[in-house]
Amino acid sequence: ALRLSYLRAGGHDPAILDQLLHLQLEAAVLEKGATGPRRGRKMAEPSSTGTGDLDVALLAVELENWRLEDELLALKVRREKRADAGLRVAQRHSEELAQLQAEVGMLRCHSEQTGTQLPPPVAPPL
């Protein structure tokens, strides 16, 4: 939950993500030790059936999967932020364009009422 909160808030520091991943691994190991069939057994002690190696491999695969999910989420958050920023810029430009068009319309109306003629528009130099 902490990792997801950090990513959703825009966090993307690899060192912090690595620390959060290690904390998650440590929590998973502790949880697995607390829910295992023999609670008194040490985690580093290999089992006689060889399932300890499979558990470690499975945990490593799960951690890699979580890391990749974190990366995907971070990429999605960054993409959404860029899209939102682009949308805000486009909205601001369209608002400015509408305001300028309204001002031009008012100037035309004013010039028609007063009988003066506006000079033709001049494009700015490139």
Side-chain angles (χ1 to χ4, degrees):
L2 181 60
R3 185 185 80 245
L4 288 175
S5 174
Y6 176 73
L7 288 169
R8 286 189 180 131
H12 60 276
D13 185 348
I16 292 176
L17 288 172
D18 190 45
Q19 282 181 322
L20 290 172
L21 190 63
H22 285 290
L23 287 172
Q24 193 169 3
L25 169 63
E26 192 175 329
V29 168
L30 290 173
E31 286 176 358
K32 185 158 181 62
T35 61
R38 287 184 266 167
R39 291 185 183 181
R41 192 175 80 186
K42 295 179 183 174
M43 290 302 292
E45 180 183 315
S47 71
S48 59
T49 60
T51 59
D53 292 339
L54 290 176
D55 289 343
V56 170
L58 179 61
L59 190 56
V61 169
E62 281 185 34
L63 286 173
E64 180 65 13
N65 199 15
W66 290 337
R67 187 188 67 75
L68 292 171
E69 286 176 0
D70 289 345
E71 279 186 45
L72 277 174
L73 182 59
L75 288 171
K76 286 179 183 178
V77 167
R78 276 184 272 182
R79 183 180 60 196
E80 288 174 6
K81 282 185 176 183
R82 277 196 310 263
D84 289 345
L87 181 61
R88 284 192 299 269
V89 168
Q91 285 176 334
R92 187 173 49 232
H93 285 164
S94 62
E95 289 170 0
E96 289 173 1
L97 178 62
Q99 183 179 359
L100 289 172
Q101 287 173 337
E103 288 177 18
V104 167
M106 287 174 30
L107 288 172
R108 280 196 181 127
C109 183
H110 179 69
S111 68
E112 288 172 0
Q113 289 175 354
T114 59
T116 58
Q117 198 162 21
L118 292 173
V122 178
L126 295 175

